[in-house]
Amino acid sequence: MGLQVRRQHRGVAEQQEKLRRSRDLKIGSQLGNNDIANLPIPALQNNGFLFVWVINAKYKWTLDLFDQWGYK
């Protein structure tokens, strides 16, 4: 193999390794509902905004949690 071909091959191998590592992330390593609900969010601010990303299945639960934390 020429030098340029080896460099290209190495770059592809590095990209494949990054992709493999990203697939190894465990979804179960995320915070559970109780862990999230027990975060001391109200202690962080008295008046402010709360931005979250939530899946459709947790939308109502999240709105209820906002109420619990004192957000309207």
Side-chain angles (χ1 to χ4, degrees), residues 14-37:
E14 289 169 358
Q15 291 300 319
Q16 288 173 337
E17 176 61 18
K18 286 180 185 178
L19 181 61
R20 186 197 63 75
R21 281 184 276 157
S22 71
R23 289 181 185 152
D24 289 342
L25 295 175
K26 302 286 187 252
I27 290 179
S29 66
Q30 298 171 348
L31 293 175
N33 289 350
N34 289 334
D35 296 322
I36 294 169

